[in-house]
Amino acid sequence: MAEAKWVDQADVVLVGAGIMSATLAALLRELQPDMSIRVIERLEGVALESSLATNNAGTGHAANCELNYTPEQGDGSVETSKAFKINESFEISLQFWSHLVGKGLLPQPGAFLSPVPHLSFVWGEDSVRFLRTRHAALQAHPMFVDMRYSEDPAQLREWMPLVMEGRDPKQAMAATRVARGTDVDFGRLAIQLFAGLGQGADFGILANHHVQDLVREADGRWRVVVRDQVGGQTREIKAKFVFLGAGGGALPLLLKSGIPEGCGYGGFPVSGQWLICTNPEVIARHHAKVYGKASVGAPPMSVPHLDTRMVDGKPALLFGPYAGFTTKFLKQGSFLDLPLSLRPHNLYPMMAAGWQNLDLTRYLIGQVLQSREARLETLRTFVPTARMEDWELEIAGQRVQIIKKDPVHGGKLEFGTEVVSAADGSLAALLGASPGASTAVATMLEMLLKCFPERAKSEAWQRTIQQMVPSFGTNLVKDADLLARVRARNSEMLGLKAE
Ligand SMILES: Cc1cc2nc3c(=O)[nH]c(=O)nc-3n(C[C@H](O)[C@H](O)[C@H](O)COP(=O)(O)OP(=O)(O)OC[C@H]3O[C@@H](n4cnc5c(N)ncnc54)[C@H](O)[C@@H]3O)c2cc1C
Protein backbone atom coordinates (compact mmCIF):
# COMPACT_ATOMS: atom_id res chain seq x y z
CA MET A 1 0.00 0.00 0.00
CA ALA A 2 1.33 3.48 -0.85
CA GLU A 3 2.39 5.56 2.14
CA ALA A 4 -0.32 7.81 3.49
CA LYS A 5 0.26 11.56 3.09
CA TRP A 6 -1.73 14.63 3.97
CA VAL A 7 -3.47 15.99 0.95
CA ASP A 8 -6.17 18.15 2.39
CA GLN A 9 -7.89 19.79 5.32
CA ALA A 10 -11.44 21.07 5.36
CA ASP A 11 -14.05 22.38 7.75
CA VAL A 12 -16.53 19.80 6.51
CA VAL A 13 -16.20 16.41 4.80
CA LEU A 14 -19.31 14.88 3.25
CA VAL A 15 -18.99 11.18 2.49
CA GLY A 16 -21.09 10.23 -0.54
CA ALA A 17 -22.31 12.40 -3.42
CA GLY A 18 -26.04 11.64 -3.33
CA ILE A 19 -28.99 13.94 -2.72
CA MET A 20 -28.38 14.11 1.05
CA SER A 21 -24.82 15.44 0.80
CA ALA A 22 -25.85 17.72 -2.08
CA THR A 23 -28.66 19.20 0.06
CA LEU A 24 -26.41 19.58 3.09
CA ALA A 25 -23.70 21.28 1.03
CA ALA A 26 -26.25 23.69 -0.49
CA LEU A 27 -27.65 24.55 2.95
CA LEU A 28 -24.15 25.12 4.37
CA ARG A 29 -23.19 27.33 1.45
CA GLU A 30 -26.14 29.58 2.26
CA LEU A 31 -25.63 29.53 6.02
CA GLN A 32 -21.85 29.67 6.24
CA PRO A 33 -20.30 30.58 2.86
CA ASP A 34 -16.77 30.70 4.31
CA MET A 35 -16.74 27.00 5.23
CA SER A 36 -14.48 24.73 3.17
CA ILE A 37 -16.30 21.60 2.02
CA ARG A 38 -15.04 18.35 0.46
CA VAL A 39 -17.30 15.63 -0.90
CA ILE A 40 -15.80 12.15 -1.23
CA GLU A 41 -17.49 9.68 -3.56
CA ARG A 42 -16.40 6.09 -4.29
CA LEU A 43 -18.05 5.96 -7.73
CA GLU A 44 -16.94 7.87 -10.82
CA GLY A 45 -19.58 10.57 -10.55
CA VAL A 46 -22.37 12.21 -8.59
CA ALA A 47 -25.73 10.56 -7.69
CA LEU A 48 -25.11 7.12 -9.17
CA GLU A 49 -26.51 5.08 -6.25
CA SER A 50 -30.00 5.44 -4.67
CA SER A 51 -30.39 9.05 -5.83
CA LEU A 52 -30.13 8.09 -9.53
CA ALA A 53 -33.59 8.53 -11.11
CA THR A 54 -34.21 4.89 -12.03
CA ASN A 55 -32.86 3.60 -8.72
CA ASN A 56 -35.72 5.24 -6.79
CA ALA A 57 -39.39 6.00 -7.47
CA GLY A 58 -38.97 9.77 -7.71
CA THR A 59 -42.15 10.45 -5.78
CA GLY A 60 -42.14 13.76 -3.99
CA HIS A 61 -43.48 12.05 -0.87
CA ALA A 62 -46.20 14.31 0.51
CA ALA A 63 -48.50 11.56 1.83
CA ASN A 64 -51.00 12.37 -0.92
CA CYS A 65 -51.14 8.80 -2.18
CA GLU A 66 -48.92 6.53 -0.05
CA LEU A 67 -51.37 4.45 1.96
CA ASN A 68 -48.69 3.08 4.30
CA TYR A 69 -48.38 6.54 5.89
CA THR A 70 -52.01 6.33 7.10
CA PRO A 71 -52.42 2.91 8.73
CA GLU A 72 -55.88 1.58 9.52
CA GLN A 73 -56.56 1.17 13.25
CA GLY A 74 -58.31 -1.73 14.94
CA ASP A 75 -61.55 0.28 15.21
CA GLY A 76 -61.58 1.08 11.48
CA SER A 77 -60.33 4.67 11.91
CA VAL A 78 -57.22 5.91 10.12
CA GLU A 79 -54.09 7.27 11.86
CA THR A 80 -53.08 10.46 10.03
CA SER A 81 -50.31 12.06 12.12
CA LYS A 82 -47.47 10.70 9.93
CA ALA A 83 -49.19 11.98 6.78
CA PHE A 84 -49.26 15.55 8.15
CA LYS A 85 -45.61 15.39 9.19
CA ILE A 86 -44.46 14.09 5.80
CA ASN A 87 -46.53 16.64 3.90
CA GLU A 88 -45.02 19.43 6.01
CA SER A 89 -41.49 18.08 5.42
CA PHE A 90 -42.02 18.03 1.67
CA GLU A 91 -43.29 21.64 1.75
CA ILE A 92 -39.96 22.46 3.48
CA SER A 93 -38.05 20.88 0.59
CA LEU A 94 -40.17 22.82 -1.90
CA GLN A 95 -39.47 26.09 -0.06
CA PHE A 96 -35.71 25.55 -0.21
CA TRP A 97 -35.79 24.62 -3.89
CA SER A 98 -37.96 27.73 -4.57
CA HIS A 99 -35.39 29.84 -2.73
CA LEU A 100 -32.53 28.43 -4.82
CA VAL A 101 -34.46 28.82 -8.09
CA GLY A 102 -35.18 32.45 -7.08
CA LYS A 103 -31.45 33.05 -6.50
CA GLY A 104 -30.47 31.38 -9.77
CA LEU A 105 -28.62 28.58 -7.89
CA LEU A 106 -30.95 25.94 -9.35
CA PRO A 107 -32.08 25.97 -12.97
CA GLN A 108 -35.70 26.16 -14.07
CA PRO A 109 -37.59 23.60 -11.94
CA GLY A 110 -38.64 21.56 -14.99
CA ALA A 111 -35.06 20.30 -15.06
CA PHE A 112 -35.60 18.26 -11.89
CA LEU A 113 -39.28 18.44 -10.86
CA SER A 114 -42.47 17.68 -12.80
CA PRO A 115 -46.10 18.13 -11.78
CA VAL A 116 -47.71 14.66 -11.77
CA PRO A 117 -51.07 13.95 -10.04
CA HIS A 118 -50.87 11.57 -7.06
CA LEU A 119 -53.58 8.89 -6.87
CA SER A 120 -54.38 6.09 -4.44
CA PHE A 121 -56.32 3.26 -6.02
CA VAL A 122 -57.96 0.31 -4.23
CA TRP A 123 -60.44 -2.43 -5.01
CA GLY A 124 -62.60 -4.70 -2.83
CA GLU A 125 -65.22 -3.58 -0.28
CA ASP A 126 -62.85 -3.40 2.73
CA SER A 127 -60.21 -1.40 0.92
CA VAL A 128 -62.83 0.98 -0.49
CA ARG A 129 -64.15 1.57 3.03
CA PHE A 130 -60.59 2.26 4.21
CA LEU A 131 -59.94 4.76 1.42
CA ARG A 132 -63.23 6.55 2.06
CA THR A 133 -62.35 6.89 5.77
CA ARG A 134 -58.82 8.03 4.94
CA HIS A 135 -60.13 10.64 2.53
CA ALA A 136 -62.65 11.98 5.06
CA ALA A 137 -59.96 12.23 7.76
CA LEU A 138 -57.41 14.00 5.55
CA GLN A 139 -59.63 16.19 3.40
CA ALA A 140 -61.14 17.87 6.49
CA HIS A 141 -57.77 19.58 6.99
CA PRO A 142 -56.45 22.51 4.87
CA MET A 143 -53.33 20.48 4.07
CA PHE A 144 -55.31 17.92 2.07
CA VAL A 145 -58.37 19.99 1.17
CA ASP A 146 -57.73 19.49 -2.57
CA MET A 147 -57.84 15.69 -2.31
CA ARG A 148 -60.69 14.34 -4.44
CA TYR A 149 -62.42 10.98 -3.96
CA SER A 150 -64.46 8.88 -6.36
CA GLU A 151 -66.00 5.42 -6.70
CA ASP A 152 -67.49 6.29 -10.08
CA PRO A 153 -65.91 4.17 -12.88
CA ALA A 154 -66.37 7.02 -15.38
CA GLN A 155 -64.46 9.43 -13.15
CA LEU A 156 -61.76 6.83 -12.47
CA ARG A 157 -61.42 6.26 -16.24
CA GLU A 158 -60.87 9.97 -16.74
CA TRP A 159 -58.19 10.05 -14.00
CA MET A 160 -56.33 6.87 -15.11
CA PRO A 161 -57.51 5.40 -18.42
CA LEU A 162 -54.74 2.80 -18.65
CA VAL A 163 -55.52 1.43 -15.19
CA MET A 164 -59.26 1.21 -15.91
CA GLU A 165 -59.06 -0.36 -19.37
CA GLY A 166 -60.21 -3.99 -19.32
CA ARG A 167 -61.42 -3.77 -15.70
CA ASP A 168 -64.81 -5.07 -14.54
CA PRO A 169 -66.80 -1.87 -13.74
CA LYS A 170 -68.99 -3.83 -11.32
CA GLN A 171 -66.03 -4.49 -9.01
CA ALA A 172 -65.95 -2.20 -5.93
CA MET A 173 -63.21 0.36 -6.64
CA ALA A 174 -62.22 3.79 -5.39
CA ALA A 175 -59.47 6.34 -5.89
CA THR A 176 -58.32 9.64 -4.46
CA ARG A 177 -56.50 12.24 -6.51
CA VAL A 178 -54.31 15.19 -5.58
CA ALA A 179 -53.49 17.28 -8.65
CA ARG A 180 -50.59 19.08 -6.95
CA GLY A 181 -48.32 16.01 -6.86
CA THR A 182 -44.76 15.79 -8.10
CA ASP A 183 -42.20 13.54 -9.69
CA VAL A 184 -38.66 14.51 -8.73
CA ASP A 185 -35.48 13.44 -10.51
CA PHE A 186 -33.34 13.41 -7.36
CA GLY A 187 -30.25 12.49 -9.40
CA ARG A 188 -30.57 15.57 -11.59
CA LEU A 189 -31.38 17.67 -8.56
CA ALA A 190 -28.21 16.49 -6.78
CA ILE A 191 -26.11 17.25 -9.87
CA GLN A 192 -27.62 20.75 -10.12
CA LEU A 193 -27.17 21.44 -6.41
CA PHE A 194 -23.50 20.48 -6.59
CA ALA A 195 -23.06 22.51 -9.79
CA GLY A 196 -24.40 25.61 -8.01
CA LEU A 197 -21.71 25.23 -5.33
CA GLY A 198 -18.59 24.95 -7.40
CA GLN A 199 -18.10 28.52 -8.45
CA GLY A 200 -15.53 30.50 -6.49
CA ALA A 201 -16.03 28.69 -3.20
CA ASP A 202 -13.64 26.42 -1.30
CA PHE A 203 -15.51 23.35 -2.43
CA GLY A 204 -14.43 20.16 -4.14
CA ILE A 205 -15.71 16.72 -5.08
CA LEU A 206 -13.26 13.82 -4.96
CA ALA A 207 -14.81 11.10 -7.15
CA ASN A 208 -13.44 7.55 -7.39
CA HIS A 209 -12.33 7.79 -3.75
CA HIS A 210 -13.51 5.29 -1.17
CA VAL A 211 -13.59 6.29 2.49
CA GLN A 212 -12.02 3.39 4.33
CA ASP A 213 -11.67 4.63 7.88
CA LEU A 214 -12.41 7.46 10.27
CA VAL A 215 -10.03 8.17 13.11
CA ARG A 216 -10.57 10.68 15.91
CA GLU A 217 -7.49 12.88 16.42
CA ALA A 218 -6.33 14.30 19.75
CA ASP A 219 -7.37 17.81 18.64
CA GLY A 220 -11.00 16.64 18.16
CA ARG A 221 -10.87 16.63 14.37
CA TRP A 222 -11.56 13.56 12.21
CA ARG A 223 -8.91 11.98 10.02
CA VAL A 224 -10.76 10.59 7.03
CA VAL A 225 -8.75 7.83 5.36
CA VAL A 226 -9.51 7.63 1.67
CA ARG A 227 -8.41 5.22 -1.05
CA ASP A 228 -8.05 6.39 -4.63
CA GLN A 229 -9.94 3.73 -6.58
CA VAL A 230 -8.03 4.45 -9.77
CA GLY A 231 -4.46 5.17 -8.66
CA GLY A 232 -4.57 2.95 -5.56
CA GLN A 233 -3.01 5.54 -3.21
CA THR A 234 -4.26 6.13 0.30
CA ARG A 235 -4.89 9.75 1.24
CA GLU A 236 -6.14 11.52 4.33
CA ILE A 237 -8.29 14.55 4.93
CA LYS A 238 -8.68 16.25 8.31
CA ALA A 239 -12.07 17.73 9.08
CA LYS A 240 -13.88 19.38 11.98
CA PHE A 241 -17.23 17.94 10.91
CA VAL A 242 -17.97 14.75 8.98
CA PHE A 243 -21.34 13.79 7.52
CA LEU A 244 -21.81 10.17 6.51
CA GLY A 245 -24.25 10.61 3.63
CA ALA A 246 -23.11 7.35 2.12
CA GLY A 247 -26.58 5.79 1.72
CA GLY A 248 -26.24 2.06 2.43
CA GLY A 249 -22.53 2.70 3.09
CA ALA A 250 -23.27 4.96 6.07
CA LEU A 251 -23.76 2.15 8.61
CA PRO A 252 -20.33 0.50 8.10
CA LEU A 253 -18.67 3.92 8.37
CA LEU A 254 -20.64 4.81 11.49
CA LEU A 255 -19.46 1.55 13.06
CA LYS A 256 -15.86 2.32 12.02
CA SER A 257 -16.03 5.78 13.62
CA GLY A 258 -16.52 4.04 16.97
CA ILE A 259 -18.73 6.81 18.40
CA PRO A 260 -20.73 5.42 21.33
CA GLU A 261 -23.98 6.72 19.82
CA GLY A 262 -23.58 4.20 16.97
CA CYS A 263 -23.46 1.28 19.38
CA GLY A 264 -26.10 -1.42 18.75
CA TYR A 265 -27.04 -0.25 15.24
CA GLY A 266 -27.26 -2.78 12.43
CA GLY A 267 -28.80 -2.89 8.97
CA PHE A 268 -31.22 -5.06 7.02
CA PRO A 269 -30.81 -4.70 3.26
CA VAL A 270 -33.88 -4.72 0.99
CA SER A 271 -33.38 -4.67 -2.74
CA GLY A 272 -35.90 -3.80 -5.42
CA GLN A 273 -36.80 -4.29 -9.06
CA TRP A 274 -38.97 -2.35 -11.50
CA LEU A 275 -40.78 -3.17 -14.65
CA ILE A 276 -39.95 -0.30 -17.00
CA CYS A 277 -42.25 0.27 -19.97
CA THR A 278 -40.53 0.32 -23.35
CA ASN A 279 -43.60 1.10 -25.50
CA PRO A 280 -43.97 4.89 -26.10
CA GLU A 281 -47.70 4.47 -26.89
CA VAL A 282 -48.36 2.90 -23.49
CA ILE A 283 -46.19 5.49 -21.72
CA ALA A 284 -48.19 8.30 -23.37
CA ARG A 285 -51.51 6.89 -22.09
CA HIS A 286 -50.74 7.37 -18.41
CA HIS A 287 -50.10 10.57 -16.47
CA ALA A 288 -50.17 9.92 -12.72
CA LYS A 289 -48.50 8.20 -9.83
CA VAL A 290 -50.98 5.54 -8.77
CA TYR A 291 -50.26 3.90 -5.42
CA GLY A 292 -52.05 0.76 -4.21
CA LYS A 293 -52.15 -1.16 -0.97
CA ALA A 294 -49.25 -3.37 0.14
CA SER A 295 -50.00 -7.07 -0.01
CA VAL A 296 -50.13 -8.96 3.31
CA GLY A 297 -46.63 -9.55 4.72
CA ALA A 298 -44.98 -7.00 2.43
CA PRO A 299 -42.74 -4.32 3.97
CA PRO A 300 -44.22 -0.80 3.83
CA MET A 301 -41.82 0.40 1.14
CA SER A 302 -42.92 -2.38 -1.22
CA VAL A 303 -46.33 -0.87 -1.93
CA PRO A 304 -46.82 -1.35 -5.67
CA HIS A 305 -47.26 1.76 -7.79
CA LEU A 306 -47.54 2.74 -11.42
CA ASP A 307 -45.56 5.89 -11.97
CA THR A 308 -45.27 8.48 -14.66
CA ARG A 309 -41.66 9.60 -14.42
CA MET A 310 -39.43 12.13 -16.06
CA VAL A 311 -36.03 10.46 -16.36
CA ASP A 312 -33.29 12.68 -17.80
CA GLY A 313 -36.04 14.92 -19.15
CA LYS A 314 -37.91 12.12 -20.99
CA PRO A 315 -41.31 10.64 -20.01
CA ALA A 316 -41.13 7.11 -18.59
CA LEU A 317 -43.48 4.61 -16.97
CA LEU A 318 -42.36 2.37 -14.11
CA PHE A 319 -44.17 -0.28 -12.12
CA GLY A 320 -42.98 -1.77 -8.84
CA PRO A 321 -40.99 -2.06 -6.76
CA TYR A 322 -40.84 -5.83 -6.47
CA ALA A 323 -38.88 -6.25 -3.25
CA GLY A 324 -35.96 -8.61 -2.88
CA PHE A 325 -33.15 -9.67 -0.59
CA THR A 326 -29.38 -9.50 -1.03
CA THR A 327 -26.62 -9.02 1.51
CA LYS A 328 -25.28 -5.94 -0.35
CA PHE A 329 -25.71 -2.53 1.32
CA LEU A 330 -25.26 -0.65 -1.96
CA LYS A 331 -26.42 -1.58 -5.46
CA GLN A 332 -22.77 -1.32 -6.47
CA GLY A 333 -21.65 -2.89 -3.20
CA SER A 334 -20.29 -6.24 -2.00
CA PHE A 335 -22.09 -9.41 -0.86
CA LEU A 336 -19.87 -9.21 2.23
CA ASP A 337 -21.47 -5.91 3.33
CA LEU A 338 -23.97 -7.55 5.71
CA PRO A 339 -21.61 -10.08 7.34
CA LEU A 340 -18.86 -7.44 7.68
CA SER A 341 -21.28 -5.12 9.52
CA LEU A 342 -21.64 -7.57 12.42
CA ARG A 343 -20.07 -6.44 15.70
CA PRO A 344 -20.35 -7.83 19.23
CA HIS A 345 -22.59 -4.86 20.17
CA ASN A 346 -25.07 -5.24 17.28
CA LEU A 347 -25.14 -9.02 17.01
CA TYR A 348 -27.93 -9.53 19.53
CA PRO A 349 -30.19 -6.72 18.18
CA MET A 350 -29.62 -8.09 14.64
CA MET A 351 -30.47 -11.65 15.66
CA ALA A 352 -33.50 -10.55 17.69
CA ALA A 353 -34.82 -8.38 14.84
CA GLY A 354 -34.12 -11.17 12.33
CA TRP A 355 -36.00 -13.69 14.47
CA GLN A 356 -39.03 -11.37 14.77
CA ASN A 357 -39.03 -10.72 11.02
CA LEU A 358 -38.67 -14.22 9.60
CA ASP A 359 -41.89 -13.67 7.64
CA LEU A 360 -40.42 -10.58 6.03
CA THR A 361 -37.23 -12.45 5.04
CA ARG A 362 -39.32 -15.27 3.58
CA TYR A 363 -41.46 -12.73 1.71
CA LEU A 364 -38.38 -11.00 0.25
CA ILE A 365 -36.75 -14.23 -0.86
CA GLY A 366 -40.08 -15.27 -2.42
CA GLN A 367 -40.14 -11.98 -4.31
CA VAL A 368 -36.61 -12.57 -5.68
CA LEU A 369 -37.62 -16.02 -6.94
CA GLN A 370 -40.79 -14.74 -8.66
CA SER A 371 -41.28 -15.92 -12.23
CA ARG A 372 -41.83 -13.56 -15.16
CA GLU A 373 -45.48 -14.68 -15.24
CA ALA A 374 -45.98 -13.90 -11.54
CA ARG A 375 -44.58 -10.40 -12.08
CA LEU A 376 -46.88 -9.89 -15.04
CA GLU A 377 -49.83 -10.99 -12.93
CA THR A 378 -49.00 -8.33 -10.32
CA LEU A 379 -48.58 -5.70 -13.05
CA ARG A 380 -52.00 -6.64 -14.43
CA THR A 381 -53.65 -5.76 -11.11
CA PHE A 382 -52.74 -2.19 -12.14
CA VAL A 383 -52.67 -2.44 -15.94
CA PRO A 384 -55.11 -5.23 -16.88
CA THR A 385 -54.15 -5.04 -20.56
CA ALA A 386 -50.37 -5.19 -19.95
CA ARG A 387 -48.24 -7.32 -22.31
CA MET A 388 -44.86 -8.56 -21.10
CA GLU A 389 -43.14 -7.55 -24.34
CA ASP A 390 -43.82 -3.89 -23.47
CA TRP A 391 -41.93 -4.09 -20.14
CA GLU A 392 -38.33 -4.72 -19.10
CA LEU A 393 -37.10 -5.76 -15.66
CA GLU A 394 -34.48 -3.46 -14.06
CA ILE A 395 -32.73 -3.55 -10.70
CA ALA A 396 -33.68 -0.62 -8.43
CA GLY A 397 -31.59 0.94 -5.67
CA GLN A 398 -30.74 -0.73 -2.40
CA ARG A 399 -32.23 0.27 0.95
CA VAL A 400 -30.71 -0.60 4.29
CA GLN A 401 -33.39 -0.59 6.97
CA ILE A 402 -32.33 0.29 10.48
CA ILE A 403 -31.95 -2.35 13.18
CA LYS A 404 -31.45 -1.02 16.69
CA LYS A 405 -31.57 -2.12 20.30
CA ASP A 406 -34.95 -2.54 21.89
CA PRO A 407 -35.33 -2.86 25.66
CA VAL A 408 -38.27 -5.29 25.36
CA HIS A 409 -37.46 -7.45 22.32
CA GLY A 410 -33.66 -7.10 22.23
CA GLY A 411 -33.69 -5.59 18.75
CA LYS A 412 -36.15 -4.03 16.30
CA LEU A 413 -36.37 -3.30 12.60
CA GLU A 414 -37.38 0.22 11.59
CA PHE A 415 -38.54 1.51 8.23
CA GLY A 416 -37.86 5.25 8.64
CA THR A 417 -34.72 7.38 8.48
CA GLU A 418 -32.66 8.40 11.46
CA VAL A 419 -29.71 10.72 11.99
CA VAL A 420 -27.20 9.35 14.50
CA SER A 421 -24.76 12.01 15.68
CA ALA A 422 -21.83 12.27 18.07
CA ALA A 423 -22.56 14.10 21.33
CA ASP A 424 -20.07 16.84 20.44
CA GLY A 425 -21.66 17.35 17.00
CA SER A 426 -18.45 16.47 15.11
CA LEU A 427 -19.93 13.56 13.12
CA ALA A 428 -23.37 12.55 11.95
CA ALA A 429 -24.69 9.64 9.88
CA LEU A 430 -27.96 9.28 8.03
CA LEU A 431 -29.36 5.76 8.31
CA GLY A 432 -32.45 4.26 6.67
CA ALA A 433 -34.19 5.24 3.46
CA SER A 434 -37.80 6.27 3.86
CA PRO A 435 -39.40 8.76 3.20
CA GLY A 436 -35.92 9.55 2.03
CA ALA A 437 -34.92 12.11 -0.51
CA SER A 438 -38.22 14.04 -0.35
CA THR A 439 -37.52 15.09 3.22
CA ALA A 440 -33.80 15.77 2.70
CA VAL A 441 -34.05 19.51 3.43
CA ALA A 442 -35.87 19.16 6.77
CA THR A 443 -33.63 16.25 7.82
CA MET A 444 -30.39 18.02 6.93
CA LEU A 445 -31.49 21.34 8.46
CA GLU A 446 -32.45 19.68 11.74
CA MET A 447 -29.13 17.84 11.77
CA LEU A 448 -27.21 21.09 11.26
CA LEU A 449 -29.03 22.78 14.13
CA LYS A 450 -28.13 19.85 16.37
CA CYS A 451 -24.48 19.59 15.31
CA PHE A 452 -23.79 23.37 15.19
CA PRO A 453 -25.85 24.57 18.20
CA GLU A 454 -23.98 27.85 18.76
CA ARG A 455 -24.12 28.92 15.12
CA ALA A 456 -27.74 27.83 14.96
CA LYS A 457 -28.62 30.38 17.64
CA SER A 458 -26.81 33.22 15.85
CA GLU A 459 -28.82 36.00 14.25
CA ALA A 460 -27.11 35.36 10.90
CA TRP A 461 -28.18 31.70 10.73
CA GLN A 462 -31.67 32.46 12.01
CA ARG A 463 -32.16 35.16 9.37
CA THR A 464 -30.84 32.94 6.57
CA ILE A 465 -33.05 30.02 7.62
CA GLN A 466 -36.07 32.34 7.50
CA GLN A 467 -35.14 33.39 3.96
CA MET A 468 -34.52 29.82 2.77
CA VAL A 469 -37.46 28.11 4.48
CA PRO A 470 -39.95 30.70 5.80
CA SER A 471 -42.05 28.10 7.60
CA PHE A 472 -39.14 26.48 9.44
CA GLY A 473 -39.69 26.39 13.21
CA THR A 474 -43.44 26.97 12.88
CA ASN A 475 -46.15 24.36 12.44
CA LEU A 476 -47.70 24.30 8.97
CA VAL A 477 -50.28 21.79 10.18
CA LYS A 478 -51.66 24.32 12.67
CA ASP A 479 -51.15 27.54 10.70
CA ALA A 480 -53.49 27.44 7.69
CA ASP A 481 -52.67 31.02 6.58
CA LEU A 482 -48.95 30.34 6.50
CA LEU A 483 -49.56 27.04 4.69
CA ALA A 484 -51.55 28.89 2.02
CA ARG A 485 -48.82 31.53 1.60
CA VAL A 486 -46.00 28.98 1.46
CA ARG A 487 -47.87 26.81 -1.03
CA ALA A 488 -48.74 29.75 -3.26
CA ARG A 489 -45.07 30.75 -3.48
CA ASN A 490 -43.85 27.17 -3.98
CA SER A 491 -46.42 26.59 -6.71
CA GLU A 492 -45.49 29.81 -8.48
CA MET A 493 -41.72 29.27 -8.27
CA LEU A 494 -41.82 25.56 -9.15
CA GLY A 495 -44.75 25.50 -11.59
CA LEU A 496 -47.01 23.22 -9.52
CA LYS A 497 -50.71 22.87 -10.23
CA ALA A 498 -53.66 22.70 -7.85
CA GLU A 499 -57.29 22.09 -8.74
C1 LIG B 1 -36.34 1.40 -4.67
C2 LIG B 1 -36.29 2.74 -4.02
C3 LIG B 1 -37.34 3.63 -4.20
C4 LIG B 1 -37.28 4.89 -3.56
N1 LIG B 1 -38.28 5.78 -3.81
C5 LIG B 1 -38.22 7.03 -3.28
C6 LIG B 1 -39.20 7.99 -3.60
O1 LIG B 1 -40.11 7.73 -4.36
N2 LIG B 1 -39.10 9.22 -3.04
C7 LIG B 1 -38.10 9.53 -2.17
O2 LIG B 1 -38.08 10.65 -1.67
N3 LIG B 1 -37.13 8.64 -1.85
C8 LIG B 1 -37.17 7.40 -2.39
N4 LIG B 1 -36.19 6.48 -2.11
C9 LIG B 1 -35.14 6.84 -1.15
C10 LIG B 1 -34.07 7.72 -1.79
O3 LIG B 1 -33.62 7.15 -2.98
C11 LIG B 1 -32.95 7.88 -0.80
O4 LIG B 1 -33.45 8.37 0.44
C12 LIG B 1 -31.89 8.86 -1.26
O5 LIG B 1 -31.50 8.65 -2.59
C13 LIG B 1 -30.71 8.72 -0.35
O6 LIG B 1 -29.74 9.64 -0.74
P1 LIG B 1 -28.28 9.55 -0.15
O7 LIG B 1 -27.56 10.72 -0.65
O8 LIG B 1 -28.36 9.34 1.32
O9 LIG B 1 -27.73 8.15 -0.72
P2 LIG B 1 -27.16 7.74 -2.16
O10 LIG B 1 -27.83 8.44 -3.27
O11 LIG B 1 -27.16 6.25 -2.18
O12 LIG B 1 -25.69 8.28 -2.12
C14 LIG B 1 -24.72 7.73 -1.26
C15 LIG B 1 -23.39 7.81 -1.97
O13 LIG B 1 -22.38 7.41 -1.06
C16 LIG B 1 -21.39 6.71 -1.77
N5 LIG B 1 -20.62 5.91 -0.81
C17 LIG B 1 -21.03 4.85 -0.09
N6 LIG B 1 -20.05 4.39 0.68
C18 LIG B 1 -18.97 5.18 0.46
C19 LIG B 1 -17.64 5.21 0.96
N7 LIG B 1 -17.22 4.35 1.89
N8 LIG B 1 -16.80 6.16 0.47
C20 LIG B 1 -17.21 7.06 -0.45
N9 LIG B 1 -18.46 7.08 -0.95
C21 LIG B 1 -19.33 6.15 -0.50
C22 LIG B 1 -22.20 5.89 -2.75
O14 LIG B 1 -21.42 5.47 -3.86
C23 LIG B 1 -23.30 6.86 -3.15
O15 LIG B 1 -23.00 7.60 -4.31
C24 LIG B 1 -36.19 5.24 -2.73
C25 LIG B 1 -35.13 4.34 -2.57
C26 LIG B 1 -35.16 3.11 -3.23
C27 LIG B 1 -34.00 2.19 -3.08
Side-chain angles (χ1 to χ4, degrees), residues 97-108 192 195-196 199 493:
W97 301 338
S98 298
H99 168 80
L100 294 179
V101 168
K103 278 186 88 174
L105 293 172
L106 271 179
Q108 282 312 302
Q192 303 292 353
Q199 300 127 10
M493 295 303 293

Side-chain angles (χ1 to χ4, degrees), residues 15-22 40-43 45-52 55-61 186 209-212 243 245-250 253 270-274 289 291 305 307 321 330 396-399 417 430 432-439:
V15 183
I19 187 62
M20 292 297 168
S21 290
I40 303 167
E41 168 55 51
R42 67 193 278 271
L43 300 178
V46 164
L48 295 174
E49 265 288 339
S50 290
S51 302
L52 183 76
N55 281 347
N56 64 71
T59 303
H61 285 307
F186 291 108
H209 281 70
H210 187 112
V211 174
Q212 292 187 310
F243 170 61
L253 291 173
V270 177
S271 60
Q273 292 174 322
W274 309 113
K289 282 175 177 274
Y291 274 61
H305 41 100
D307 281 13
L330 292 160
Q398 190 72 3
R399 300 191 231 219
T417 40
L430 180 82
S434 184
S438 303
T439 54

Side-chain angles (χ1 to χ4, degrees), residues 56-59 61 65-66 119 274-275 289-292 301-307 309 318-321 382 399:
N56 64 71
T59 303
H61 285 307
C65 55
E66 309 86 337
L119 277 79
W274 309 113
L275 284 174
K289 282 175 177 274
V290 180
Y291 274 61
M301 69 288 189
S302 297
V303 177
H305 41 100
L306 181 72
D307 281 13
R309 304 286 311 275
L318 270 71
F319 179 75
F382 275 69
R399 300 191 231 219

Side-chain angles (χ1 to χ4, degrees), residues 359-377:
D359 283 354
L360 173 62
T361 313
R362 262 195 295 273
Y363 170 85
L364 295 176
I365 291 170
Q367 287 269 303
V368 178
L369 299 175
Q370 258 189 99
S371 65
R372 222 175 127 79
E373 288 70 30
R375 287 201 186 93
L376 179 62
E377 215 172 287

Side-chain angles (χ1 to χ4, degrees), residues 154 230 246 282 376:
V230 178
V282 179
L376 179 62

Side-chain angles (χ1 to χ4, degrees), residues 251-323:
L251 174 71
L253 291 173
L254 174 67
L255 298 175
K256 279 189 177 160
S257 77
I259 62 168
E261 293 78 4
C263 204
Y265 280 89
F268 182 83
V270 177
S271 60
Q273 292 174 322
W274 309 113
L275 284 174
I276 302 189
C277 187
T278 52
N279 184 337
E281 284 171 22
V282 179
I283 296 171
R285 295 195 54 218
H286 186 75
H287 184 68
K289 282 175 177 274
V290 180
Y291 274 61
K293 261 185 126 178
S295 48
V296 178
M301 69 288 189
S302 297
V303 177
H305 41 100
L306 181 72
D307 281 13
T308 296
R309 304 286 311 275
M310 287 300 277
V311 177
D312 287 333
K314 293 195 197 93
L317 185 59
L318 270 71
F319 179 75
Y322 298 89

